[in-house]
Amino acid sequence: MTSKTADIAILLAGKSHPQVSERVGREFRAIELGKGGLAALDEATRRAIRGAAVMARVDAAFVDALPALEIVSSFGVGYDHVDASYCASRNVMVTNTPDVLSEEVADTAVGLLINTVRELPRAENWLREGRWKNDGPYPLAPATLRGRHAGIFGLGRIGLAIARRLEAMGLAVSYHNRRPVEGVGYTYHGSLKEMAAAVDTLISVVPGSAATNKAVNANILKALGPDGVFINIGRGSTVDEPALIEALSTGIIRAAGLDVFADEPNVPEALLGLPNACLLPHVGSSTQHTRRAMADLVVDNLVSWFDNGTVLTPVPETAGRKRQ
Ligand code: NAP
Ligand code: 8YV
């Protein structure tokens, strides 16, 4: 325990990574948020809390309940569960965990794409069920990655790592962001609809936000077309799930690979029953290696804030702020 920060109360909210709990406990005064939530903490404890390491929703009520709160250090690069604008308005710093997970998530995205197009999980089940021995070879996959053109919805840190992998695999790559990215050679499309019509493989890796909510809807899927493959490694909120189920059931698109869902961990029964949907339980970053790096960044941001008044990875809404 460092003498400088040992008295600073830090709230652990949500199911913390063990390395977050262990390091926060070593460097600060850790306060675990129990099942009763903030209401179950006594007033003196609540008023003492100056920082929070979170894997949980942070809304206005959360911030208002903690009058001494200076910093919310969130586990994960996506921070759609944190009301960062409200935090900014209350002078509360918000940090996330970018970069340290980009390559891992890109690996998952490409694995999911290959599994979806080449039906590898189904082929493995064929073997495990004894059908190779009894019925013969697994049927030839109707789709291939050869000649495919990928459109990346969200060419940011992870999107770029996916693009580089796909380029190396021989796929054509286009992208749609609100603004073109300087210094990349991939074809830019000013609208998602225009890009969906130009490609046959749509990969969504945009953050969850009001602007991206259900952006991948029936019109976009129709534009993608009957050979279309949709991969979602970003956020489930970006997709109109009933429209996707309809598109997969009726051949409007060929197949989908999904790592994220609108109401996790609840996955619609209709998706579970579709053979052309390849489904993962939000495992984009989930290796011990990468989760440890994310956990360290959560705690490093807290340590830096209370040590020198700055953080390593602020979210854009609170970037440039310093501790008063
Ligand atoms: P990032 O670097 O901020 O990239 C996000 C990209 O999306 C930016 O290029 C941004 O470009 C674009 N974008 C944002 N809003 C948009 C909009 N309304 N329309 C079009 N483009 C938009 O973030 P990242 O580090 O790559 O992470 C991306 C997301 O992946 C995270 O927010 C998280 O939700 C998700 N994620 C999922 C997993 C998983 O386990 N499945 C793991 C990590 C991250 P412009 O600002 O120019 O539009
Ligand atoms: C994690 C993620 O699964 O970083 C993100 O945005 O979605 C994933 O890395 C998540 O943050 C942990 O809950």
Side-chain angles (χ1 to χ4, degrees):
M1 201 179 263
T2 62
S3 54
K4 221 173 143 193
T5 57
D7 291 336
I8 296 175
I10 302 290
L11 184 70
L12 296 169
K15 199 176 178 319
S16 298
H17 185 282
Q19 195 154 310
V20 171
S21 311
E22 189 270 317
R23 279 194 62 198
V24 167
R26 191 155 27 98
E27 313 215 22
F28 300 96
R29 177 155 77 93
I31 295 166
E32 300 257 3
L33 189 65
K35 282 216 169 74
L38 290 173
L41 295 178
D42 66 72
E43 171 137 10
T45 305
R46 222 171 19 81
R47 289 191 169 277
I49 289 167
R50 293 175 61 190
V54 306
M55 255 190 88
R57 177 155 298 284
V58 174
D59 55 13
F62 181 102
V63 175
D64 291 343
L66 303 172
L69 187 66
E70 298 174 34
I71 176 168
V72 169
S73 184
S74 182
F75 188 91
V77 66
Y79 58 97
D80 40 319
H81 54 287
V82 177
D83 188 340
S85 302
Y86 190 76
C87 288
S89 77
R90 288 287 180 263
N91 226 8
V92 173
M93 170 58 74
V94 179
T95 62
N96 62 347
T97 62
D99 297 317
V100 294
L101 45 56
S102 297
E103 301 299 326
E104 197 80 76
V105 180
D107 290 346
T108 311
V110 172
L112 182 57
L113 172 64
I114 296 173
N115 279 353
T116 305
V117 171
R118 291 289 313 278
E119 305 178 353
L120 298 186
R122 288 169 63 189
E124 183 171 350
N125 282 343
W126 183 273
L127 177 155
R128 287 179 185 277
E129 287 161 6
R131 298 193 64 187
W132 188 15
K133 201 160 55 178
N134 298 329
D135 301 340
Y138 183 75
L140 300 183
T144 176
L145 281 175
R146 299 304 96 219
R148 277 200 173 261
H149 183 171
I152 299 186
F153 180 27
L155 193 80
R157 291 166 291 233
I158 300 171
L160 203 50
I162 296 171
R164 292 200 177 110
R165 282 161 174 72
L166 298 184
E167 191 182 7
M169 289 163 65
L171 276 72
V173 178
S174 298
Y175 71 101
H176 165 63
N177 283 3
R178 288 165 297 188
R179 290 166 289 276
V181 179
E182 274 181 40
V184 303
Y186 308 122
T187 306
Y188 175 71
H189 292 275
S191 87
L192 178 59
K193 177 100 181 278
E194 181 195 301
M195 181 173 78
V199 304
D200 50 33
T201 307
L202 176 62
I203 302 177
S204 183
V205 63
V206 277
S209 72
T212 60
N213 192 47
K214 296 191 171 61
V216 178
N217 57 28
N219 285 335
I220 300 298
L221 295 167
K222 191 166 173 227
L224 191 58
D227 189 34
V229 172
F230 172 62
I231 302 296
N232 194 4
I233 193 84
R235 281 291 179 266
S237 60
T238 303
V239 183
D240 180 340
E241 262 177 8
L244 176 61
I245 291 163
E246 172 78 8
L248 287 168
S249 315
T250 59
I252 290 169
I253 67 168
R254 177 185 286 283
L258 311 171
D259 184 48
V260 287
F261 302 88
D263 178 30
E264 296 174 5
N266 303 305
V267 177
E269 280 295 325
L271 269 180
L272 297 177
L274 284 171
N276 53 347
C278 190
L279 309 172
L280 295 178
H282 200 148
V283 293
S285 68
S286 54
T287 62
Q288 294 181 1
H289 165 91
T290 291
R291 289 293 173 86
R292 269 198 304 269
M294 293 161 67
D296 273 335
L297 190 46
V298 166
V299 185
D300 289 347
N301 273 312
L302 292 168
V303 168
S304 174
W305 181 254
F306 290 106
D307 182 39
N308 62 45
T310 64
V311 293
L312 307 173
T313 52
V315 303
E317 289 88 337
T318 58
R321 288 169 189 246
K322 288 191 170 176
R323 212 170 121 233
Q324 309 293 326

